[in-house]
Amino acid sequence: RPWIDLLAFHYGRSNCDDKNRRYLVAAGDAARAAYALQSAISYYERALALLTDGTRVDVLAHFGEVLELAGRWNDAFARYREAREQAEKAGLPAQRAAMAGAIGDLLRKRGEFTEAGTWITCARQENAEAGNEAGVGLMLHLEGTLCAQTGNFARATDLYQRALAIRQQLGDEASTAKTLNNLGIVARSQGDIDTALGYYERSLAIRRRLNDRREIANSLNNLGFTRRFRKEFERARELLEESVQMNRSVGDRWSTANALTSLAELALDTGDAELAHRCLKESIAINRELGDRRALAFLLEGFGRLGRLKNDAIAALLFFAAARALREAIGAPLEPADADMLA
């Protein structure tokens, strides 16, 4: 990467616009791959000032991805929408469909499930019309996640299995790992811990081989969170603390908050009120800023459990009631395995 940075610096001070554009984009892509988010943002902003029409599409898409990771979700929405408009003008159906999926998935993260479903369904249809099997697989995966988070586990499993078949046929290891991971989430949500751990371990093995820190951190979080149910508390804490640290290192604010919530749940299981409060407080601050309402419901339940741990029955009841009202408002029911923990 250093030589790309040097070339971007050099041509940025020349009159050679073509090479300036090329190396700014290359430097942005390299920074994005290394999770150097602020550098990637800077390079992409400068590159976009030099690009026009269809040549902007991929850069806008990558820029949106970086902004999403950095927690700048409103800015990410704007980039995705602009990329979709540019792709339509330039006659790029695969890119146009991809941006519909990106918009839908970000809406899902905000708990806007109905609108998210509309965008993701649209994206799947557009990918099918374009003959883009990889795109169809991605949208099946995203729709599966939407179904899982709204309590339709049978439908989620079916969609994930269909996505997995496409991704394995295409030889896409990174995407295969994502779907295996999410099949684990569905199994865990229904209380099938052994099946969940099997999927998680298969996913993590692929991610370690690909050496993707962000995805490894995601797997560590899921493994740690799930080992709580086996009361393997020491191992769970090691995994979750590693996940928090790794997510911080790549700058993924949403995943950092998610791992902090998992660590808080473990702390509550083991009666560590101080750690639970610290993790819940940081996670809720991030998720309030991002606007992830489903995550906020989990956090309200966490504060309810904390109140119960501290023998503050009134606080516990208020937090549990607020969480229930929020879940009903967004259509995200409590998962069966988690309901057992709150009983």
Side-chain angles (χ1 to χ4, degrees), residues 276-288:
H277 183 265
R278 187 167 68 247
C279 292
L280 289 169
K281 183 178 179 181
E282 183 178 356
S283 183
I284 204 166
I286 295 172
N287 279 299
R288 284 179 67 183

Side-chain angles (χ1 to χ4, degrees), residues 31-318:
R32 177 174 58 91
Y35 297 109
L37 303 185
Q38 295 309 312
S39 292
I41 288 170
S42 175
Y43 283 126
Y44 286 144
E45 284 178 335
R46 290 157 59 194
L48 285 169
L50 302 173
L51 296 170
T52 58
D53 302 327
T55 60
R56 296 169 58 85
V57 174
D58 288 340
V59 177
L60 285 165
H62 292 160
F63 192 13
E65 179 185 332
V66 171
L67 290 166
E68 182 176 341
L69 281 176
R72 292 171 53 181
W73 285 5
N74 288 336
D75 291 334
F77 272 121
R79 298 292 83 74
Y80 290 149
R81 291 180 187 279
E82 186 180 353
R84 180 167 167 81
E85 292 169 3
Q86 293 286 344
E88 184 167 11
K89 291 177 182 177
L92 301 169
Q95 289 92 325
R96 178 173 179 266
M99 291 304 93
I103 291 167
D105 198 45
L106 193 47
L107 287 166
R108 173 194 62 80
K109 286 185 176 180
R110 280 192 162 165
E112 299 175 27
F113 297 129
T114 300
E115 190 174 356
T118 300
W119 279 98
I120 292 169
T121 299
C122 172
R124 178 145 68 99
Q125 292 171 345
E126 290 180 3
N127 274 298
E129 291 167 3
N132 182 8
E133 279 295 294
V136 170
L138 173 58
M139 297 313 140
L140 287 168
H141 177 97
L142 296 183
E143 190 177 347
T145 301
L146 185 60
C147 287
Q149 293 189 347
T150 52
N152 191 345
F153 298 119
R155 175 67 173 160
T157 300
D158 175 64
L159 289 163
Y160 282 144
Q161 292 289 3
R162 290 164 62 188
L164 183 64
I166 291 173
R167 291 172 155 187
Q168 289 177 325
Q169 184 178 11
L170 294 174
D172 185 342
E173 286 194 295
S175 296
T176 293
K178 285 180 182 290
T179 303
L180 288 169
N181 177 75
N182 284 28
L183 281 164
I185 292 173
V186 171
R188 201 282 309 167
S189 297
Q190 298 175 93
D192 189 347
I193 304 306
D194 290 341
T195 298
L197 290 172
Y199 279 126
Y200 290 152
E201 293 289 0
R202 288 172 63 190
S203 177
L204 179 58
I206 296 171
R207 288 169 165 177
R208 287 200 186 281
R209 186 166 66 250
L210 298 177
N211 195 31
D212 188 324
R213 290 182 294 149
R214 180 187 173 216
E215 300 299 350
I216 291 170
N218 179 271
S219 286
L220 294 174
N221 174 57
N222 288 328
L223 280 166
F225 185 82
T226 302
R227 289 196 178 278
R228 294 170 47 230
F229 293 89
R230 283 187 168 178
K231 300 189 183 304
E232 299 173 7
F233 297 132
E234 185 175 346
R235 180 56 179 152
R237 181 161 180 167
E238 291 173 357
L239 291 164
L240 292 173
E241 287 179 341
E242 186 179 357
S243 177
V244 170
Q245 182 179 13
M246 194 173 291
N247 276 307
R248 290 195 198 279
S249 75
V250 302
D252 186 338
R253 299 189 69 238
W254 182 82
S255 294
T256 297
N258 192 31
L260 284 165
T261 301
S262 298
L263 186 55
E265 293 288 331
L266 174 65
L268 290 165
D269 291 346
T270 57
D272 190 338
E274 182 182 350
L275 176 62
H277 183 265
R278 187 167 68 247
C279 292
L280 289 169
K281 183 178 179 181
E282 183 178 356
S283 183
I284 204 166
I286 295 172
N287 279 299
R288 284 179 67 183
E289 181 184 339
L290 296 177
D292 186 336
R293 293 186 292 168
R294 181 171 178 270
L296 289 171
F298 277 110
L299 288 159
L300 289 169
E301 287 153 359
F303 276 109
R305 289 187 65 198
L306 182 60
R308 195 163 61 187
L309 180 62
K310 292 182 173 182
N311 295 316
D312 188 342
I314 294 176
L317 287 171
L318 288 173

